[in-house]
């Protein structure tokens, strides 16, 4: 009979996470693609997210994303991420998060990682991967536009440029003029090639962009007119609740996971409620990668990713292993204290 031992328990700070991921956009893109393939092949468990809401703070929520990943990336765990939009009024980011990694053999947690950076990284990397895969066979977008200019928009831009994208023009639109100006400043500091244009309306930005990125905190659709998309751009609908059903019904739609995306009042969920069916969904990103679905060249293409917990686990494990390789793990000695079954 083999003897099982509890793994050491480490705490990994946001600074360590950032250091481990800096400049690794191409590696993370490969990792995210591997996760989508494992998920598509049934090598994962990704239950529905659980939303903790507060009657006295209706705009805020904390979400639990449990997940398990198999194959060569074997790891279990949980992301616990809060979204408090009121934070931004004082300059504090909206989201904060931790990620717990569990050892698949004993079930013991072996790491707690600051996870807002991990969450932003997996979100941005999957968006950049979708942009690459969904634009194959189409004319590659040369003009990108960002609606919503917070941390996620910044990370998506970083992962696009870090995986080889260059743009003739970058459009910026935000309901907050300060946020738009801040994002423009980031673009200038990052030596973004091409023109930078701040748009006063979503319509102006959408009509002048081949690749549109929605990264807002909108809780209900605010874009309703399909004619704005007459030039058939590629849309990364990362914030999930920006587009009215009529936009989706006039487009080709791809998601990361159908069951996950069609819930919680997302735009695809609203489109399902409006039509009574899911025929408007053309497939998943994995369907595109494996050739089971083809991307039309003569329609607007919308990617709506719900965000899978298995992606957080994979990026978290990558960070943990990288920090361990460099000898930087902060192990909490004696974290597990009662380790003998009979005392």
């Amino acid at each position: 009979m083999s003897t099982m031992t509890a793994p050491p328990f480490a705490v990994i700070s946001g600074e360590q996470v950032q250091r481990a991921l800096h400049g690794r956009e191409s590696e993370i893109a490969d990792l995210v693609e591997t996760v989508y393939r494992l998920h598509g092949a049934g090598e994962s468990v990704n239950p529905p997210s659980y939303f903790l809401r507060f009657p006295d703070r209706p705009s805020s929520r904390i979400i639990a994303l449990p997940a398990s990943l198999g194959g060569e990336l074997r790891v279990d765990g949980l992301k616990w991420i809060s979204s408090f939009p009121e934070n931004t009024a004082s300059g504090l980011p909206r989201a904060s998060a931790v990620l717990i990694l569990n050892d698949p053999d004993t079930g013991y947690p072996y790491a707690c990682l600051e996870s807002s950076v991990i969450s932003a990284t997996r979100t941005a990397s999957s968006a950049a991967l979708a942009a690459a895969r969904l634009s194959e066979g189409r004319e590659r977008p040369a003009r990108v536009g960002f609606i919503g200019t917070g941390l996620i928009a910044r990370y998506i831009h970083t992962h696009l440029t870090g995986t080889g994208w260059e743009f003739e023009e970058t459009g910026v639109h935000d309901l907050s003029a300060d946020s738009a100006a801040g994002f423009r400043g980031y673009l200038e500091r990052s030596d973004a090639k091409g023109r930078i244009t701040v748009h006063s309306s979503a319509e102006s930005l959408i009509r002048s962009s081949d690749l549109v990125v929605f990264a807002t905190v909108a809780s209900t659709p605010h874009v309703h007119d399909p004619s704005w998309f007459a030039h058939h751009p590629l849309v990364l609908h990362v914030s999930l609740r920006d587009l009215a059903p009529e936009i989706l019904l006039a487009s080709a739609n791809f998601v990361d996971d159908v069951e996950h995306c069609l819930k919680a009042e997302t735009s695809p969920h609203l489109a399902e409620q409006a039509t009574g069916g899911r025929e408007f969904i053309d497939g998943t990103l994995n369907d595109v990668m494996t050739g089971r679905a083809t991307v039309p060249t003569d329609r607007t293409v919308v990617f709506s990713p719900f965000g899978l917990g298995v992606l957080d686990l994979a990026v978290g494990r990558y960070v943990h292993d990288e920090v361990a390789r460099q000898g930087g793990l902060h192990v909490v000695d004696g974290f597990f204290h009662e380790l003998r079954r009979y005392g």
Side-chain angles (χ1 to χ4, degrees):
M1 178 176 142
S2 63
T3 305
M4 304 292 264
T5 58
F9 184 81
V11 175
I12 298 175
S13 72
E15 183 185 6
Q16 289 178 298
V17 170
Q18 206 139 31
R19 219 167 29 233
L21 293 173
H22 182 70
R24 304 290 177 85
E25 290 85 8
S26 291
E27 280 178 64
I28 300 302
D30 292 341
L31 178 65
V32 166
E33 182 163 346
T34 299
V35 173
Y36 277 136
R37 290 184 188 278
L38 287 170
H39 183 66
E43 292 270 0
S44 66
V45 183
N46 209 105
S49 304
Y50 183 82
F51 288 72
L52 176 62
R53 299 186 185 277
F54 313 99
D56 60 330
R57 292 158 283 163
S59 70
S60 300
R61 63 184 190 266
I62 309 180
I63 312 169
L65 289 82
S68 174
L69 191 55
E72 69 263 39
L73 299 176
R74 201 161 163 254
V75 63
D76 308 328
L78 172 81
K79 177 168 79 168
W80 181 237
I81 181 164
S82 65
S83 173
F84 278 53
E86 312 303 323
N87 287 354
T88 58
S90 60
L92 194 65
R94 170 186 61 86
S96 58
V98 293
L99 178 70
I100 302 293
L101 302 181
N102 291 73
D103 170 39
D105 294 318
T106 64
Y108 273 73
Y110 66 87
C112 175
L113 302 91
E114 194 286 327
S115 201
S116 64
V117 171
I118 288 170
S119 187
T121 296
R122 67 86 152 134
T123 299
S125 186
S126 71
L129 176 67
R133 293 292 184 226
L134 295 173
S135 61
E136 289 173 0
R138 294 165 61 97
E139 189 171 342
R140 192 167 167 96
R143 303 171 301 164
V144 65
F146 290 87
I147 297 180
T149 56
L151 181 97
I152 297 297
R154 175 158 59 85
Y155 270 72
I156 291 173
H157 181 266
T158 298
H159 279 263
L160 285 168
T161 56
T163 51
W165 287 81
E166 289 187 1
F167 300 103
E168 295 169 8
E169 183 169 0
T170 301
V172 176
H173 172 67
D174 198 289
L175 293 178
S176 160
D178 287 347
S179 295
F183 190 63
R184 177 180 191 138
Y186 152 75
L187 291 170
E188 290 167 348
R189 289 193 304 278
S190 68
D191 295 325
K193 294 183 170 60
R195 291 187 307 281
I196 301 168
T197 305
V198 176
H199 292 262
S200 59
S201 70
E203 178 182 2
S204 166
L205 180 139
I206 291 165
R207 287 187 183 277
S208 60
S209 302
D210 315 311
L211 174 63
V212 181
V213 179
F214 284 94
T216 73
V217 294
S219 57
T220 55
H222 55 97
V223 175
H224 298 269
D225 189 343
S227 73
W228 296 3
F229 300 83
H231 57 302
H232 304 316
L234 172 58
V235 181
L236 302 178
H237 186 211
V238 176
S239 36
L240 285 176
R241 294 172 178 86
D242 304 271
L243 300 176
E246 51 265 36
I247 308 273
L248 298 189
L249 298 178
S251 306
N253 292 279
F254 297 90
V255 297
D256 53 357
D257 182 282
V258 176
E259 290 301 327
H260 283 262
C261 209
L262 295 180
K263 59 166 64 83
E265 305 297 309
T266 63
S267 295
H269 188 203
L270 298 180
E272 180 189 33
Q273 291 171 346
T275 61
R278 300 179 169 185
E279 292 75 20
F280 66 95
I281 300 284
D282 293 75
T284 66
L285 183 57
N286 186 60
D287 290 335
V288 173
M289 296 190 313
T290 55
R292 285 196 298 269
T294 54
V295 183
T297 57
D298 59 347
R299 298 175 70 196
T300 298
V301 173
V302 179
F303 178 58
S304 299
F306 196 79
L308 299 175
V310 284
L311 291 175
D312 297 278
L313 289 186
V315 176
R317 181 185 155 162
Y318 174 93
V319 169
H320 172 274
D321 294 352
E322 183 63 21
V323 173
R325 189 180 66 77
Q326 294 176 4
L329 282 182
H330 300 308
V331 173
V332 181
D333 291 325
F335 185 82
F336 298 111
H337 177 62
E338 191 62 82
L339 289 173
R340 288 201 301 244
R341 190 174 178 199
Y342 297 111

